[in-house]
Amino acid sequence: MNNGIRIQNVVKEFAGHTVLNGIGIHVEAGELFGLLGPSGAGKTTLIKILTGQIVQTEGWAELLGTDTRKLTDREYSRIGMMLDNTGLYERLNCYDNLALFARIYGLSKEKPEEALKKVGLWEAKKKPVHKLSKGMKQRLVLARAMLNEPDILFLDEPTSGLDPACAREIHSLIQNQRKKGTTVFLTTHNMEEAEKLCDHIALLCEGRVVEYGNPKELCRKYNHQNKICLLLKSGERILLENNSDGAKKVYSCLKEGIVETIHSTEPNLETVFMELTGRSFE
């Protein structure tokens, strides 16, 4: 069964303005893929095309082996979505929110309970949504997205606005889905999040994919300096060439016991993005 995503030369225009320009991406089944870009880059627009909410101007996109312009209930029953608009019913409690969607999906009565326990909200099952913290709301939205045990899970900025502790909880839940074989399509402007979670990423800027690959491999690819940085206990920083002479100096400093930290100079994803586009990620 095809649980992957294929996108070829997708273009989307709104009132003469090109939001996506020639996008081509292939996401393998079971992969955790990240689409990275600043606000306005076109990330949410691409998700809406992939999930059949809007139609591309040009090009072709396939989800679960089906043209995204022809998705049916059969495909939608295999998709989970956590989008920027939560869609939760504020006056209903956590359990009733999930029970409503379980009925829509035709799922068993046990599914809401299973989903709430999975995201750590079972104790808050009777709590109205309007009384939940932002982190709890995000977990509830993720529980709803996972309610039907989807083959593909779309996550649009799942940790936006969350504190680090809440973000780590969401990351753990996402990684658990990945381990179960779910294909995860993640959009984010959080570079650290992408480096931590994703098998492959695409960097999106002004509607174009400017680079694609494994996060760590991309950072190594753009490591033009290729140096070793030593921070000594005295506070002094030493930048060494990554060669035999540099290795001797590192050995000497380690032998003297004066090294606080050692780092290589490969850039992070944000630095790579800035090099490719000439702009920051904010």
Side-chain angles (χ1 to χ4, degrees):
M1 187 175 289
N2 184 356
N3 292 343
I5 299 169
R6 294 178 183 273
I7 307 165
Q8 185 174 332
N9 198 33
V10 163
V11 175
K12 181 60 182 177
E13 297 178 351
F14 291 104
H17 175 62
T18 302
V19 178
L20 296 174
N21 195 346
I23 301 297
I25 296 171
H26 179 202
V27 181
E28 295 285 354
E31 180 178 3
L32 204 167
F33 174 82
L35 184 64
L36 281 68
S39 297
K43 303 187 299 295
T44 301
T45 298
L46 185 57
I47 279 189
K48 288 182 176 179
I49 289 173
L50 291 175
T51 54
Q53 298 177 65
I54 59 176
V55 176
Q56 65 268 33
T57 307
E58 296 177 21
W60 171 80
E62 181 184 274
L63 181 73
L64 298 166
T66 302
D67 188 320
T68 57
R69 293 166 293 190
K70 301 176 182 178
L71 297 176
T72 66
D73 289 346
R74 179 176 176 274
E75 286 77 40
Y76 284 121
S77 69
R78 298 170 56 197
I79 298 171
M81 289 184 279
M82 181 181 180
L83 305 183
D84 51 356
N85 180 7
T86 64
L88 296 172
Y89 293 93
E90 294 284 326
R91 294 185 181 181
L92 295 182
N93 62 38
C94 295
Y95 181 86
D96 287 342
N97 261 278
L98 295 192
L100 174 61
F101 283 92
R103 288 196 295 273
I104 292 172
Y105 279 116
L107 303 174
S108 69
K109 294 181 180 179
E110 289 76 26
K111 288 297 182 182
E113 178 179 344
E114 293 173 6
L116 288 172
K117 288 180 177 178
K118 189 181 296 183
V119 300
L121 288 177
W122 180 242
E123 297 301 320
K125 60 183 180 293
K126 295 299 183 182
K127 196 168 188 177
V129 167
H130 68 86
K131 292 187 177 180
L132 299 179
S133 67
K134 183 174 178 60
M136 294 173 76
K137 282 186 179 181
Q138 289 292 79
R139 280 188 283 156
L140 183 58
V141 175
L142 185 55
R144 188 187 64 191
M146 299 187 300
L147 195 62
N148 59 327
E149 299 182 7
D151 294 314
I152 295 184
L153 185 59
F154 288 96
L155 305 173
D156 193 10
E157 302 281 359
T159 60
S160 178
L162 298 185
D163 63 62
C166 289
R168 283 194 296 272
E169 291 178 357
I170 297 294
H171 289 169
S172 178
L173 292 168
I174 294 171
Q175 288 170 323
N176 287 339
Q177 286 300 117
R178 164 71 170 79
K179 290 174 184 176
K180 292 178 180 178
T182 305
T183 304
V184 181
F185 191 102
L186 167 75
T187 74
T188 182
H189 64 270
N190 185 326
M191 294 296 195
E192 292 182 8
E193 181 170 79
E195 287 189 51
K196 176 181 178 180
L197 297 176
C198 297
D199 300 305
H200 292 92
I201 62 160
L203 297 177
L204 189 67
C205 181
E206 297 179 349
R208 292 181 180 273
V209 173
V210 295
E211 187 57 282
Y212 169 88
N214 174 271
K216 291 182 174 58
E217 290 176 1
L218 284 182
C219 290
R220 289 195 295 269
K221 177 180 177 181
Y222 289 90
N223 183 14
H224 305 307
Q225 282 189 296
N226 192 25
K227 295 181 184 292
I228 299 170
C229 180
L230 300 186
L231 174 63
L232 304 185
K233 293 179 179 178
S234 64
E236 180 186 0
R237 290 182 182 274
I238 301 177
L239 199 61
L240 303 170
E241 296 293 334
N242 190 0
N243 56 25
S244 57
D245 290 338
K248 291 176 183 176
K249 180 64 176 177
V250 171
Y251 174 75
S252 175
C253 290
L254 287 172
K255 192 174 182 180
E256 293 178 43
I258 60 175
V259 176
E260 186 72 33
T261 62
I262 302 176
H263 296 286
S264 56
T265 58
E266 68 261 17
N268 58 27
L269 288 176
E270 184 163 6
T271 307
V272 171
F273 184 84
M274 290 179 68
E275 177 175 337
L276 291 168
T277 66
R279 57 174 290 183
S280 70
F281 220 61
E282 298 300 327

